[in-house]
Amino acid sequence: MSNKKITGFMLMIVVFTLIACSLYGVNIPLPSSFIPLMIAANCVFAFISTFAQRLIIVLYEVNVFEEKDSLIGYFNKYTAIFTSGINYYAQNILNRLPFLVNKLLSLCFFLSLMWIGFGIVGIFN
């Protein structure tokens, strides 16, 4: 593994740890706060995917699957995996379905992520 890859991963961990620390205000401890953060980010991408599904799929593929050689490239790669990994694989499957079924299930996926996110936050309150 290259130093840029490790440094990009560690930078992503530090950035999301600082963001996750903001969830102390709603009584979610630090290791557990990564899960609602990841679910919320995927929920945002799931909502956008309802309208621009192919764009979100291509955005993920460009950030994750193309070869990287810079620190920022690796940071973007690991950020994309953390913030939209769940959504990418769900939307990739939904993209193969007929249009109306695709949009209906995409909306259901978005609503289920919302439900899961509020459920996780509800556990800690």
Side-chain angles (χ1 to χ4, degrees), residues 44-112:
V44 169
F45 280 103
F47 179 73
I48 296 169
S49 293
T50 304
F51 307 106
Q53 187 177 45
R54 190 69 197 143
L55 175 70
I56 297 299
I57 290 172
V58 169
L59 180 66
Y60 181 87
E61 289 173 349
V62 165
N63 281 325
V64 174
F65 296 127
E66 286 191 5
E67 195 63 34
K68 309 291 180 211
D69 63 344
S70 68
L71 178 66
I72 298 299
Y74 285 118
F75 175 77
N76 288 339
K77 175 180 181 173
Y78 296 121
T79 300
I81 291 170
F82 185 80
T83 59
S84 63
I86 297 169
N87 182 58
Y88 168 74
Y89 288 102
Q91 297 299 331
N92 210 9
I93 291 170
L94 292 176
N95 193 32
R96 301 176 194 149
L97 298 174
F99 182 77
L100 289 176
V101 176
N102 176 351
K103 295 308 172 192
L104 179 64
L105 290 178
S106 182
L107 185 63
C108 289
F109 178 67
F110 164 69
L111 293 174
S112 69

